[in-house]
């Protein structure tokens, strides 16, 4: 870096120097992950670009462009966007509850003319921004232990409860975990963390008996004993394990995975794509995805830590926490270590809306790095500053 | 709030907390990913083999290829039981979505399957889904070509060529060879529990299991090992391809070569005509059975595809019992054919064979007069055989005692079953002893309380009546051992399995009877068949020149007591006497022995001997060494004139009169 050039007043605000500040190694890693995903989608689509590989690559190109644009957006814009986006997402979630479209037994979708979308996807990013802004404006002591903490607690609890009620246990849990991660990173008292952990441990069995739907309970039972019902609920887990196990070290080869090609593996191109990767590319392929994901997470946390603003730090780390939850939960689910919840492997699994969410998150992370020297005011006159 | 106030303390503080916690969260995530990597390695490397197997099991189905069943051959390698092609159409239940509409399509091509619809649906329900179900078998060539043409367009319908068991010589071998039929529930249970059971083969519509005879006893050898066509299937069970390299060829079953001779076997059944009974002929040195028929017989081909109930009932209900293997599974009073055993016991008791007994038509034993069938004057042991004089044996038998008679009968193979004999169903019959009577007539189970052995009972036993019951197989062994004189030869039916020739001769025990005694008995038998006045002379002439003769013994066994059932002539078929004949030949250097029993055949000399003659004659003609010694022109055709002559003219043999045969105790 040419430090002297950057230290000239106004230099950092120029878009060409901002683009130079984008972490292109990080972008390359993202592209590699999406590339592996497209490769496998090409394979399980019957060695064909249709129906999945082509649109996956097109989506990635589109969303990557969007992420790069977001990366050069001033942090003050994100800060300004935090509360309104949270408010809009919350309203949409309530709308889903009232008038949402029911698909496959779950009420998740809103339709505006030709566009249908899941507001819960927006909430994943909005909750991160809103929490980051909240902590940005509070004193560090308040983040540790104070009555102020009721605010973030409610900010997390309300949307996650709404999403879980749809019912979308996976996304609800993701919002809860992401929010929790931001609270911990902001400096939550260890005793409070321990207490929350304890409460979680107690609430799991309670939720099992009083809150969960039958199909969700079945999934958990199946998870605990997948061999008990190999043709019903346990089928997914068993077939996934067979696919991975039979792949061996080097895999069966692209297009040669019998489990994925002959439809024994369910949701082979979406939630269970990791099993298809491991079957066709072997442990080398599976480990590659895990290694890429891990590198992305560590790099993002480092970028977050470099930020001079508390908002930037928390927003970037919150966004990467969402991604980390996706990877860990999906990985554990596919390998039979966690019950089947509808959580895909971001960038690798086929699907536009999840890719949109995580790529927006990566755009934010890249932006935090680009704007790492930017100091942000503590009060809410940013819009005025932005307009100057 | 102060404008743009930057409290460095605050910033430093929250940055410090964040950095530490980011490290922690990053570390936890890395740990989580590492755990996933470990799990990945565990699944893919450690458990890889297990899951590869499961994956292959998912991916491939094996379509069973049933193995061709081994042939059953006669001693000269001619096929007795083979396989014939049969065209059929089957439904692969696995590959069919809507069975009814598929069957509708088949019925359009083969209208005759409409009537079978219920049977087909029942079979589909009973069968495993992984094996096909037969829609129709034994199709005509026209039907088969039609089905083959259209089957390709009906998914799951397969038209192919099957191998069906075929018995080329009808009834001549039905009892020895047995037959195969479709497996039933009881067999399935037994077979399915065997450790190496191939369930898919057992359920295959082509599979047949041996139910009787050699087909049953050598089922495992004949069956072979199923192969498989490796079919690649998807999650819905639909076949997406065939893996030629992964297919396993079926291993055909081994051929089993019998000791039987096809020509002699056919000749024997022909000689019986409609008569009921059995003929067993064997090599006296090796124990190889050359001929073993049970008449009347049945067509074993009926059972291969399932015999209709009506046809089965006709066979099962016929009084001459075609389904029963009378050679091993029926026992008869041997009548006078038993006298050689009695004679050997008399000789063993130290009685001079030249000692004369005066026959005046019978003999008083205790308070009962036992009648002879004639008045023979003075007879010695040789003439007692020749004329079949009962009086001689009545008078001598109690000097030997029943236990001694039983001992010699046992040595000669009577009242015996052989574990090494290759087919099931041997009946032991009975050779009574004093001990046996004590144990049996003990007043329990509704039997008389009469444990003491009476001398009169010995008199009955001495002429092969009373409690004595033997099977035709035992009689053949008996004749063989008398002829052999050295070894306790044992009967065998299998000569060769696959390429392996089986040597049965090595483990025969020594007979342990003095040659001098046997020569006397054999001399008596020679007189029966060759001297003027011999009871079997007329029907023992082989017409093969003076060098080739047989030595035999006739027998007539009474079935009921005529005092109760009226006259002999009036008796209906079921109550007529049994005719028996045992013989060996050539007389000077014996090689073959034969036993014939004609059920309710009136008299041994008239009805049994002509049949034995046909069998022995053909055996002699076919034997290359004996053949050289034959003098004069020889006809090999069935000598119907001789058979008729025996029956019409009768012989000098008259029925014995002793105690009526009693139903032997079940052994």
């Amino acid at each position: 870096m040419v430090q002297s050039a950057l230290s000239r007043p106004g230099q950092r605000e120029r878009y060409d120097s901002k683009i130079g500040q984008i972490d292109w190694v990080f972008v390359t890693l993202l592209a590699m992950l999406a590339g592996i995903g497209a490769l496998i989608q090409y394979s399980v689509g019957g060695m064909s670009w249709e129906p999945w590989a082509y649109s996956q690559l097109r989506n990635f190109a589109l969303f990557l462009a969007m992420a790069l644009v977001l990366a050069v957006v001033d942090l003050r814009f994100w800060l300004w966007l935090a509360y309104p986006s949270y408010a809009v997402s919350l309203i949409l979630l309530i709308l889903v509850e009232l008038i949402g479209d029911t698909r496959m037994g779950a009420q998740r979708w809103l339709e505006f003319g030709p566009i249908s979308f899941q507001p819960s996807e927006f909430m994943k990013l909005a909750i991160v921004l809103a929490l980051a802004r909240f902590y940005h404006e509070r004193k560090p002591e308040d983040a540790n232990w104070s009555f102020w903490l009721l605010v973030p607690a409610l900010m997390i609890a309300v949307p996650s409860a709404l999403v879980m009620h749809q019912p979308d246990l996976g996304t609800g849990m993701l919002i809860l975990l992401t929010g929790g991660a931001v609270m911990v990173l902001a400096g939550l008292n260890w005793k409070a963390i321990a207490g929350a952990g304890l409460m979680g441990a107690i609430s799991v069995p309670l939720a099992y008996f009083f809150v969960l739907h039958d199909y969700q309970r079945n999934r958990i039972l199946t998870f605990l004993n997948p061999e008990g019902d190999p043709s019903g609920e346990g089928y997914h887990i068993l077939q996934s394990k067979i696919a991975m196990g039979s792949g061996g070290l080097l895999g069966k080869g692209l297009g040669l995975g019998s489990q994925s090609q002959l439809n024994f593996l369910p949701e082979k191109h979406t939630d269970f794509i990791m099993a298809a990767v491991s079957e066709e590319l072997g442990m080398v392929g599976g480990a590659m995805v895990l290694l890429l994901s891990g590198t992305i997470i560590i790099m993002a946390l480092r970028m977050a830590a470099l930020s001079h603003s508390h908002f930037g730090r928390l927003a970037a780390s919150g966004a990467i926490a969402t991604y980390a939850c996706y990877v860990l939960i999906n990985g554990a689910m596919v390998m039979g270590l966690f019950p089947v919840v509808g959580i895909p492997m971001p960038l690798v699994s086929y699907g536009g809306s999840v890719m949109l969410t995580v790529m927006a998150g990566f755009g934010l992370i890249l932006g935090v790095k680009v704007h790492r020297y930017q100091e942000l005011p503590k009060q809410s006159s940013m819009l005025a500053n932005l307009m100057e | 709030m102060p404008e743009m106030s930057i409290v460095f303390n605050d910033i430093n503080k929250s940055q410090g907390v964040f950095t530490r916690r980011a490290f922690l969260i990053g570390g936890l995530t890395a740990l989580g990913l590492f755990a996933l990597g470990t799990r990945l390695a565990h699944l893919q490397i450690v458990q890889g083999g297990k899951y590869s197997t499961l994956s292959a099991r998912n991916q491939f189905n094996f379509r069973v290829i049933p193995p061709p069943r081994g042939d059953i051959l006669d001693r000269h390698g001619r096929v007795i039981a083979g396989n014939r092609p049969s065209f059929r159409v089957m439904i692969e239940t696995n590959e069919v979505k809507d069975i009814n509409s598929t069957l509708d399509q088949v019925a359009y091509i083969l209208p005759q399957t409409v009537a079978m619809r219920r049977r087909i649906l029942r079979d589909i329900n009973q069968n495993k889904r992984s094996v096909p179900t037969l829609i129709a078998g034994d199709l005509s060539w026209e039907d088969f070509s039609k089905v083959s043409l259209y089957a390709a367009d009906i998914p799951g319908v397969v038209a192919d060529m099957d191998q069906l068991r075929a018995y080329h010589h009808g009834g001549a071998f039905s009892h020895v060879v047995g037959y195969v039929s479709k497996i039933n529930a009881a067999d399935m249970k037994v077979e399915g529990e065997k450790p190496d059971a191939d369930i898919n083969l057992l359920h295959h519509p082509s599979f047949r299991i041996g139910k009787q005879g050699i087909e049953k006893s050598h089922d495992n050898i004949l069956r072979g090992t199923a192969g498989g066509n490796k079919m690649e299937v998807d999650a819905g069970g639909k076949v997406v391809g065939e893996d030629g390299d992964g297919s396993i060829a079926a291993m055909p079953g081994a051929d089993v070569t019998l000791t039987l001779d096809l020509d002699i076997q056919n000749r024997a059944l022909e000689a019986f005509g409609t008569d009921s009974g059995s003929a067993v002929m064997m090599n006296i040195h090796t124990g190889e059975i050359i001929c073993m028929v049970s008449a009347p017989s049945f067509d074993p081909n009926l059972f291969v595809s399932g015999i209709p109930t009506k046809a089965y009932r006709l066979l099962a209900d016929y009084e001459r019992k075609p389904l029963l293997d009378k050679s091993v599974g029926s026992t008869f009073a041997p009548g006078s054919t038993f006298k050689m055993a009695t004679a050997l016991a008399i000789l063993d008791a130290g009685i001079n064979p030249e000692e004369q007994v005066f026959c005046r038509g019978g003999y008083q034993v205790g308070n009962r007069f036992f009648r002879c069938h004639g008045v023979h004057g003075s007879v010695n042991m040789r003439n007692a055989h020749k004329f079949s004089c009962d009086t001689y044996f009545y008078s001598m038998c109690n000097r030997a005692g029943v236990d001694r008679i039983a001992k010699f009968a046992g040595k000669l193979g009577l009242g015996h079953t052989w574990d090494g004999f290759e087919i099931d169903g041997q009946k032991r019959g009975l050779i009574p002893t004093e001990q046996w009577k004590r144990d049996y007539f003990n007043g329990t189970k509704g039997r008389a309380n009469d444990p003491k052995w009476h001398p009169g009972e010995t008199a009955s036993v001495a002429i092969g009546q009373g409690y004595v019951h033997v099977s035709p197989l035992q009689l053949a062994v008996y004749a063989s051992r008398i002829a052999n004189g050295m070894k306790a030869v044992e009967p065998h039916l299998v000569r060769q399995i696959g390429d392996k020739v089986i040597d049965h001769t090595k483990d025969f025990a020594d007979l342990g009877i003095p040659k001098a005694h046997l020569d006397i008995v054999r001399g008596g038998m020679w007189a029966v068949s060759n001297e003027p006045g011999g009871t079997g002379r007329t029907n023992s002439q082989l017409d093969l020149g003076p060098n080739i003769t047989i030595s035999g013994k006739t027998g007539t066994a009474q079935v009921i007591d005529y005092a109760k059932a009226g006259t002999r002539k009036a008796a209906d078929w079921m109550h007529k006497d049994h005719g028996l004949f045992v013989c060996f030949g050539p007389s000077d250097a014996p090689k073959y022995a034969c036993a014939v029993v004609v059920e309710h055949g009136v008299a041994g000399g008239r009805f049994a001997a002509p049949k034995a003659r046909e069998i022995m004659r053909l055996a002699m003609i076919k034997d290359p060494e004996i053949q050289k010694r034959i003098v004069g022109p020889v006809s090999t055709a069935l000598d119907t004139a001789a058979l008729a002559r025996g029956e019409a003219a009768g012989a000098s043999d008259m029925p014995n009169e002793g105690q009526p045969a009693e139903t032997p105790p079940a052994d």
Side-chain angles (χ1 to χ4, degrees):
Chain A
M1 283 309 142
V2 189
Q3 195 64 37
S4 58
L6 284 174
S7 36
R8 278 208 300 268
Q11 179 69 28
R12 289 201 187 106
E13 305 306 317
R14 284 176 52 179
Y15 284 109
D16 56 343
S17 58
K18 277 192 182 186
I19 288 168
Q21 284 298 302
I22 289 175
D23 191 333
W24 291 103
V25 174
F26 190 76
V27 171
T28 310
L29 294 181
L30 296 181
M32 284 172 71
L33 212 48
I36 292 177
L39 194 68
I40 295 302
Q41 277 153 28
Y42 174 80
S43 162
V44 298
M47 298 304 268
S48 157
W49 293 103
E50 299 293 342
W52 301 308
Y54 169 72
S55 62
Q56 177 80 350
L57 281 179
R58 188 200 56 202
N59 282 348
F60 180 71
L62 205 67
F63 297 146
L64 183 63
M66 174 202 74
L68 293 176
V69 170
L70 291 179
V72 297
V73 168
D74 198 290
L75 274 191
R76 281 172 293 182
F77 173 73
W78 290 107
L79 191 65
W80 169 81
L81 196 64
Y83 286 153
S85 70
Y86 180 80
V88 168
S89 298
L90 197 61
I91 288 164
L92 289 174
L93 276 179
I94 293 165
L95 275 179
V96 166
E97 189 67 25
L98 299 177
I99 60 161
D101 188 19
T102 304
R103 289 189 195 173
M104 300 196 294
Q107 205 168 29
R108 297 174 188 175
W109 301 79
L110 269 189
E111 293 197 38
F112 288 109
I115 306 161
S116 64
F117 61 96
Q118 300 185 47
S120 53
E121 288 299 326
F122 290 124
M123 184 49 90
K124 287 173 193 163
L125 201 56
I127 184 85
V128 167
L129 289 174
L131 287 172
R133 171 155 189 188
F134 172 80
Y135 281 112
H136 179 68
E137 290 174 358
R138 295 261 73 81
K139 285 190 300 230
E141 291 77 19
D142 295 345
N144 185 282
W145 188 244
S146 70
F147 70 91
W148 280 108
L149 288 180
L150 277 177
V151 179
L154 276 176
M155 281 166 78
I156 298 165
V158 172
S160 65
L162 280 170
V163 173
M164 284 186 190
H165 188 248
Q166 287 177 351
D168 185 350
L169 199 63
T171 308
M173 204 161 59
L174 217 61
I175 292 169
L176 199 67
L177 286 171
T178 307
V182 174
M183 286 181 79
V184 169
L185 286 163
L188 185 62
N189 188 293
W190 286 113
K191 285 175 191 159
I193 296 171
L198 201 66
M199 266 175 64
I202 293 168
S203 65
V204 164
L206 288 178
Y208 177 83
F209 287 111
F210 300 112
V211 181
L212 290 188
H213 291 253
D214 279 345
Y215 85 94
Q216 291 167 329
R217 256 192 286 252
N218 273 342
R219 278 180 177 179
I220 290 168
L221 284 179
T222 304
F223 160 70
L224 293 174
N225 181 21
E227 274 78 18
D229 181 17
S231 57
E233 285 283 330
Y235 183 79
H236 289 196
I237 295 173
L238 185 64
Q239 295 303 332
S240 172
K241 287 203 283 191
I242 290 174
M244 301 184 100
S246 61
L249 182 65
L250 297 174
K252 296 175 182 171
L254 208 62
L256 300 175
S258 58
Q259 288 286 110
S260 0
Q261 300 290 336
L262 300 172
N263 293 326
F264 290 101
L265 187 65
E267 304 289 334
K268 59 193 178 187
H269 64 295
T270 56
D271 290 0
F272 281 89
I273 197 159
M274 271 300 280
V277 171
S278 304
E279 184 185 24
E280 299 206 331
L281 305 179
M283 194 194 151
V284 172
M288 183 80 158
V289 171
L290 294 180
L291 209 62
L292 282 171
S293 307
T295 315
I296 286 167
I297 293 165
I298 302 298
M299 282 180 79
L301 279 173
R302 187 167 164 275
M303 286 190 249
L306 286 178
S307 176
H308 284 203
S309 67
H310 203 44
F311 174 76
R313 281 195 289 268
L314 289 178
S317 59
I320 203 62
T322 311
Y323 175 76
C325 287
Y326 267 117
V327 173
L328 288 173
I329 292 175
N330 178 271
M333 170 182 99
V334 169
M335 297 178 203
L337 298 172
F338 197 77
V340 175
V341 287
I343 297 272
M345 179 63 84
L347 300 185
V348 186
S349 289
Y350 177 79
S353 53
V354 171
M355 189 186 271
L356 174 60
T357 316
V358 297
M359 286 306 285
F362 287 132
L364 172 61
I365 292 164
L366 287 170
V368 167
K369 194 243 172 184
V370 168
H371 301 94
R372 62 189 179 281
Y373 299 117
Q374 191 172 16
E375 311 285 358
L376 287 178
K378 272 212 167 189
Q379 94 261 34
S380 36
S381 56
M382 273 82 51
L383 195 58
N385 289 337
L386 201 62
M387 293 303 164
E388 278 172 12
Chain B
M1 278 204 189
E3 195 170 318
M4 296 293 279
S5 80
I6 297 159
V7 183
F8 286 102
N9 186 33
D10 276 10
I11 287 173
N12 289 341
K13 194 172 178 187
S14 44
Q15 188 168 13
V17 169
F18 177 85
T19 309
R20 283 198 300 278
R21 298 215 167 171
F23 255 108
L24 192 77
I25 295 257
L28 279 176
T29 309
L31 203 68
L33 288 171
F34 182 75
L36 290 184
T38 313
R39 171 69 170 170
L40 206 59
H42 183 245
L43 280 176
Q44 302 203 266
I45 310 298
V46 181
Q47 295 187 305
K50 170 186 152 194
Y51 285 116
S52 290
T53 314
L54 288 175
S55 163
R57 207 176 289 165
N58 265 346
Q59 187 185 0
F60 295 108
N61 262 354
F62 279 88
R63 263 193 195 170
V64 175
I65 309 174
R69 199 170 170 86
D71 288 344
I72 299 177
L73 312 166
D74 92 329
R75 64 185 295 112
H76 301 299
R78 289 171 292 187
V79 178
I80 301 166
N83 301 307
R84 68 175 173 87
S86 150
F87 300 114
R88 62 171 177 189
V89 54
M90 300 190 298
I91 182 165
E92 289 275 0
T93 320
N94 249 344
E95 297 161 25
V96 174
K97 279 234 154 59
D98 182 347
I99 286 166
N100 271 311
S101 83
T102 303
L103 289 179
D104 285 343
Q105 292 178 66
V106 175
Y108 190 71
I109 310 166
L110 296 175
Q112 67 264 41
T113 62
V114 175
M116 307 175 196
R117 178 66 77 90
R118 276 181 66 186
R119 195 268 306 158
I120 297 167
L121 288 175
R122 191 195 63 213
D123 287 356
I124 288 173
N125 280 331
Q126 285 172 357
N127 278 354
K128 280 165 64 85
R129 287 187 64 83
S130 54
V131 298
T133 297
L134 187 75
I135 296 178
D138 256 334
L139 295 177
S140 68
W141 174 245
E142 287 79 15
D143 283 345
F144 180 66
S145 1
K146 269 199 291 182
V147 178
S148 315
L149 192 62
Y150 295 114
D153 297 331
I154 315 174
V157 172
V158 183
D160 67 357
M161 201 184 74
D162 181 24
Q163 299 281 316
L164 264 189
R165 199 61 160 170
Y167 300 100
H168 301 304
H169 298 283
F173 294 91
S174 336
H175 299 100
V176 176
V177 167
Y179 53 84
V180 295
S181 72
K182 287 177 183 164
I183 191 163
N184 61 26
D187 293 331
M188 185 65 85
K189 195 164 180 297
V190 174
E191 289 290 320
E193 281 168 6
K194 290 185 180 168
D196 56 346
D198 183 344
I199 299 296
N200 283 334
L201 174 62
L202 294 179
H203 282 90
H204 196 275
S206 290
F207 181 72
R208 295 288 185 277
I209 190 164
K211 296 289 280 186
Q212 289 282 325
I214 296 288
E215 291 274 32
K216 182 184 182 191
S217 62
H218 287 58
D219 196 46
N220 285 338
I221 292 160
L222 292 163
R223 188 186 292 176
T225 311
N229 264 335
K230 198 174 180 186
M231 311 301 280
E232 192 175 8
V233 295
D234 68 6
K238 195 166 164 290
V239 172
V240 295
E242 186 170 346
D243 177 2
D245 297 333
S247 295
I248 303 160
M251 282 259 297
D255 292 347
V256 172
T257 305
L258 301 182
T259 57
L260 299 179
D261 183 299
L262 172 61
D263 302 319
I264 301 176
Q265 195 81 0
N266 279 332
R267 175 63 58 86
L269 193 68
E270 214 177 333
F272 264 91
T274 58
D275 285 345
S276 174
S278 161
V280 181
M281 196 268 280
M282 58 195 277
N283 182 312
I284 66 159
H285 302 297
T286 61
E288 288 185 348
I289 292 180
I290 315 289
C291 165
M292 184 161 125
V293 294
S294 176
S297 191
F298 60 93
D299 182 1
N301 292 302
L302 289 173
F303 288 83
V304 177
S305 293
I307 184 169
T309 316
K310 264 187 190 166
Y312 181 79
R313 283 258 62 90
L314 281 175
L315 287 171
D317 294 343
Y318 183 38
E319 64 175 359
R320 302 196 177 189
K321 293 192 169 55
L323 295 177
L324 175 68
D325 184 358
K326 295 174 187 115
S327 306
V328 298
S330 283
T331 56
F332 307 88
S336 300
T337 59
F338 189 75
K339 284 173 181 166
M340 284 81 84
T342 311
L344 286 169
I346 291 168
L347 289 168
D348 188 62
I351 295 162
N352 184 347
E354 293 308 321
E355 191 178 328
Q356 305 268 334
V357 168
F358 189 80
C359 172
R360 52 182 174 87
Y363 187 77
Q364 184 79 28
V365 182
N367 55 7
R368 180 174 165 183
F369 184 73
F370 285 78
R371 286 173 57 186
C372 185
H373 61 87
V375 180
H376 300 110
S378 266
V379 290
N380 60 7
M381 181 175 274
R382 180 184 170 96
N383 284 335
H385 279 88
K386 178 174 158 187
F387 304 125
S388 202
C389 176
D390 297 335
T391 305
Y392 177 85
F393 291 95
Y394 294 147
S395 75
M396 294 293 192
C397 63
N398 277 307
R399 290 164 69 179
V402 69
D403 285 356
R404 200 190 298 264
I405 295 172
K407 181 182 143 196
F408 278 88
K411 270 181 188 272
L412 294 172
L414 302 179
H416 229 278
T417 57
W418 290 276
D419 293 340
F421 195 61
E422 287 91 343
I423 60 175
D424 294 346
Q426 290 184 75
K427 279 254 172 72
R428 184 181 296 276
L430 177 69
I431 301 297
T433 60
E434 291 187 25
Q435 179 68 41
W436 168 80
K437 194 175 179 201
R438 270 198 296 281
D439 294 343
Y440 190 76
F441 287 103
N442 54 6
T444 62
K445 295 179 193 164
R447 300 170 194 146
N449 188 6
D450 181 18
K452 189 180 180 308
W453 187 268
H454 305 293
E457 290 172 326
T458 311
S460 283
V461 167
I463 60 158
Q465 295 279 168
Y467 304 118
V468 185
H469 275 268
V470 300
S471 70
L473 175 69
Q474 288 168 4
L475 281 174
V477 173
Y478 167 77
S480 294
R481 290 187 180 178
I482 291 172
N484 182 307
M486 302 286 288
K487 294 282 177 188
V489 62
E490 290 179 8
H492 283 288
L493 278 170
V494 174
R495 187 181 170 83
Q496 197 173 328
I497 290 175
D499 297 330
K500 207 175 121 245
V501 179
I502 299 165
D503 179 19
H504 296 299
T505 54
K506 57 184 181 294
D507 46 9
F508 294 151
D510 286 332
L511 199 56
I513 299 175
K515 184 171 180 300
H517 292 183
L518 283 163
D519 282 343
I520 293 163
V521 166
R522 286 193 288 238
M525 289 174 74
W526 191 86
V528 168
S529 291
N530 298 287
E531 285 183 359
T535 54
R537 180 165 183 258
T538 323
N539 295 304
S540 298
Q541 301 307 310
L542 297 185
D543 301 330
L544 296 175
N547 298 332
I548 315 293
T549 62
I550 57 170
S551 302
K553 181 77 197 76
T554 57
T556 304
Q558 192 177 320
V559 175
I560 56 158
D561 186 346
Y562 291 109
K564 292 173 194 155
T567 66
R568 187 161 252 128
K569 274 203 166 139
D572 56 11
W573 183 79
M574 277 301 285
H575 298 127
K576 283 188 189 327
D577 298 334
H578 294 315
L580 299 96
F581 190 71
V582 299
C583 63
F584 61 83
S587 301
D588 54 347
K591 184 160 181 193
Y592 301 106
C594 181
V596 173
V597 177
V598 182
E599 248 187 320
H600 312 296
V602 184
R606 279 167 59 194
F607 286 84
K611 296 176 174 67
R613 173 185 179 271
E614 284 297 331
I615 294 166
M616 289 297 276
R617 190 169 181 275
L618 194 57
M620 305 290 178
I621 292 169
K622 289 199 72 176
D623 189 296
E625 285 162 33
I626 298 172
Q627 212 175 42
K628 291 177 206 150
R629 301 170 55 210
I630 295 174
V631 179
V634 168
S635 157
T636 54
L638 178 73
D639 193 345
T640 45
L643 284 170
R645 183 175 66 227
E647 289 176 24
S652 50
D653 182 31
M654 289 297 288
N656 306 316
E657 195 162 306
Q659 257 171 268
E662 289 170 30
T663 312
D667 58 351

